[in-house]
Amino acid sequence: QVQLMESGGGLVQPGDSLKLSCTASGSIFSIGAMGWYRQAPGKQRELVAAISRGGSTDYADSVKGRFTISRDNAKNMVCLQMNNLKPEDTAVYYCNAALGTYGTRWFNNYWGQGTQVTVSS
């Protein structure tokens, strides 16, 4: 079964740091773009950061300079380092990736189950 598994969420105080990790597993022959999205209560899911297979990155304006996305292609992993966290960063964070699977012989979009990040004093 192909899946994305996230870890690293939690409750932190404003100004703290947190690192999210996401690993793809299953019958995968290649991984395209990977990214992190978030959804706060009552709001639409939004892109936080994305990274191409070659390492090109893109960030939401609200997190530029505070968050860093990275990936390890050998480990099928993408990470999000979040520094100087603010209460408005509170949301469920979802991993997203284009996974090429042996079953379909094509790339499809996959989502993780989500991990809660709460920033509160």
Side-chain angles (χ1 to χ4, degrees):
Q1 182 180 358
V2 176
Q3 63 178 355
L4 296 172
M5 185 63 67
E6 300 128 333
S7 63
L11 172 63
V12 297
Q13 294 186 336
D16 284 353
S17 297
L18 204 58
K19 186 174 184 178
L20 306 181
S21 298
C22 172
T23 302
S25 62
S27 298
I28 301 166
F29 65 82
S30 184
I31 302 178
M34 306 183 82
W36 290 93
Y37 288 71
R38 67 185 180 188
Q39 187 167 19
K43 294 187 177 181
Q44 289 188 333
R45 191 173 297 189
E46 63 175 357
L47 175 67
V48 176
I51 185 167
S52 70
R53 181 168 180 80
S56 297
T57 58
D58 189 27
Y59 296 93
D61 287 342
S62 59
V63 307
K64 283 181 180 177
R66 300 188 297 122
F67 291 11
T68 302
I69 189 170
S70 61
R71 65 187 287 170
D72 184 333
N73 292 330
K75 296 181 179 179
N76 291 346
M77 178 183 291
V78 62
C79 296
L80 185 68
Q81 177 66 46
M82 304 184 292
N83 298 329
N84 190 22
L85 282 160
K86 303 176 180 180
E88 50 264 42
D89 295 318
T90 295
V92 177
Y93 283 70
Y94 296 91
C95 176
N96 175 266
L99 303 180
T101 62
Y102 287 106
T104 64
R105 297 284 185 177
W106 195 246
F107 286 85
N108 289 291
N109 195 40
Y110 286 82
W111 293 91
Q113 81 285 356
T115 184
Q116 177 70 45
V117 172
T118 302
V119 185
S120 176
S121 55

